[in-house]
């Protein structure tokens, strides 16, 4: 049985050791190294050349945090499969990690069975996003696709959707599109209803799933 190699990047030693113990309890996974922050992680990658199959990356770390590390990986090793780990479920943080190419986003209070499933999905499908993070977006989309429903988006809706996947605020998007903030609010609410999502995260995941944006584009 193939064992998939895992690197843990987390500054909390106790959590990292507990996570390594959990990973080691799974038959087909093994932790090959642990780094306390992004800078140390990159140094290990550059020094030994051994690239793990999956990286478990904490968001909040000193010296070089998870977002900065994902930015480096986007430019240098975009093929690396990264699952973000955090207690932070704010939209801005999740969107940044997805835009930089994270294949999953897990909150640290998840059940071990869900964690194991996330590893399996990233290996087999290439991504994992929980219902808690996606607001059941993927289930909704799968249902619509199975019913062969076609969702038609106007050109300006697609343009707004792409901007919504960036780090721009809604006010900045309004300026970029030469529209009023009220009109932008209308686009947002219309897309929420049309795509059956409840948040900006939902818009991002829809765009990724339907290849309206590329994971590794600015």
């Amino acid at each position: 049985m193939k064992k998939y190699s895992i690197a843990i990047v987390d500054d909390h030693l106790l959590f990292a050791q507990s996570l390594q113990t959990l990973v080691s309890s799974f038959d087909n996974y093994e932790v090959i190294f642990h780094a306390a922050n992004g800078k140390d992680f990159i140094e290990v990658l550059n020094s030994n050349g051994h690239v793990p199959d999956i990286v478990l990356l904490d968001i909040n770390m000193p010296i070089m945090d998870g977002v900065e590390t994902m930015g480096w990986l986007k430019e240098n090793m975009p093929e690396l499969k990264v699952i973000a780990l955090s207690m932070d479920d704010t939209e801005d943080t999740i969107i940044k990690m997805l835009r930089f190419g994270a294949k999953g986003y897990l909150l640290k209070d998840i059940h071990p069975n869900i964690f194991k499933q996330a590893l399996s999905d990233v290996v087999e499908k290439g991504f994992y996003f929980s219902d808690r993070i996606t607001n059941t977006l993927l289930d909704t989309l799968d249902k619509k696709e199975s019913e062969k429903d076609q969702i038609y988006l106007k050109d300006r809706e697609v343009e707004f959707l792409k901007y919504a996947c960036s780090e721009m605020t809604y006010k900045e998007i309004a300026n970029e599109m030469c529209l009023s903030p009220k009109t932008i609010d209308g686009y947002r609410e219309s897309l929420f209803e049309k795509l059956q999502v409840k948040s900006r995260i939902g818009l991002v995941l829809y765009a990724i799933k339907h290849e309206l944006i590329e994971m590794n584009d600015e």
Side-chain angles (χ1 to χ4, degrees):
M1 177 183 295
K2 173 179 171 59
K3 277 189 174 288
Y4 295 96
S5 58
I6 290 179
I8 297 173
V9 187
D10 196 301
D11 62 312
H12 292 98
L13 183 58
L14 184 61
F15 176 82
Q17 289 177 338
S18 298
L19 188 59
Q20 179 169 347
T21 299
L22 177 61
V23 170
S24 299
S25 71
F26 304 148
D27 291 337
N28 48 340
Y29 301 96
E30 62 178 349
V31 175
I32 56 173
F33 68 85
H34 162 244
N37 56 65
K39 182 175 180 292
D40 290 349
F41 170 60
I42 292 170
E43 288 178 355
V44 173
L45 287 180
N46 289 332
S47 64
N48 64 23
H50 192 148
V51 179
D53 294 308
I54 298 174
V55 179
L56 302 176
L57 179 64
D58 187 23
I59 302 295
N60 299 309
M61 297 179 292
I63 303 176
M64 188 173 188
D65 65 20
V67 175
E68 292 175 304
T69 305
M70 278 304 306
W72 184 90
L73 290 174
K74 172 187 172 182
E75 295 297 327
N76 297 275
M77 303 181 70
E79 74 286 350
L80 194 57
K81 292 182 173 66
V82 178
I83 298 177
L85 293 172
S86 181
M87 294 303 296
D88 179 4
D89 61 354
T90 59
E91 285 191 355
D92 286 349
T93 302
I94 296 171
I95 289 172
K96 285 178 181 178
M97 295 301 286
L98 296 182
R99 288 289 293 163
F100 282 148
K103 306 304 182 185
Y105 196 105
L106 299 176
L107 298 180
K108 288 185 174 182
D109 61 354
I110 61 168
H111 192 279
N113 289 343
I114 297 177
F115 173 65
K116 185 178 182 180
Q117 184 62 52
L119 293 178
S120 177
D121 281 4
V122 168
V123 167
E124 296 174 8
K125 301 177 183 178
F127 66 91
Y128 174 86
F129 298 108
S130 69
D131 287 344
R132 182 172 176 182
I133 295 298
T134 64
N135 295 308
T136 69
L137 171 68
L138 298 181
D139 287 343
T140 301
L141 292 177
D142 288 342
K143 181 179 180 182
K144 285 186 175 295
E145 289 173 354
S146 68
E147 294 171 352
K148 301 183 185 296
D149 286 343
Q150 295 275 333
I151 299 176
Y152 174 74
L153 299 182
K154 299 176 182 178
D155 289 344
R156 289 292 263 175
E157 288 178 325
V158 173
E159 183 181 0
F160 166 76
L161 184 56
K162 290 180 178 179
Y163 282 129
C165 294
S166 72
E167 297 178 25
M168 297 172 67
T169 66
Y170 287 123
K171 183 177 180 180
E172 289 171 337
I173 293 173
N175 291 335
E176 189 71 24
M177 294 181 68
C178 299
L179 297 171
S180 69
K182 185 176 180 180
T183 301
I184 288 298
D185 288 343
Y187 276 126
R188 181 189 64 222
E189 296 306 317
S190 175
L191 283 174
F192 280 174
E193 182 176 354
K194 186 177 288 189
L195 305 181
Q196 294 292 292
V197 300
K198 302 176 183 179
S199 70
R200 190 167 177 173
I201 298 167
L203 297 179
V204 174
L205 289 173
Y206 179 89
I208 291 172
K209 185 178 180 69
H210 291 272
E211 299 181 345
L212 296 177
I213 62 170
E214 294 185 11
M215 294 288 281
N216 293 316
D217 274 358
E218 290 289 345

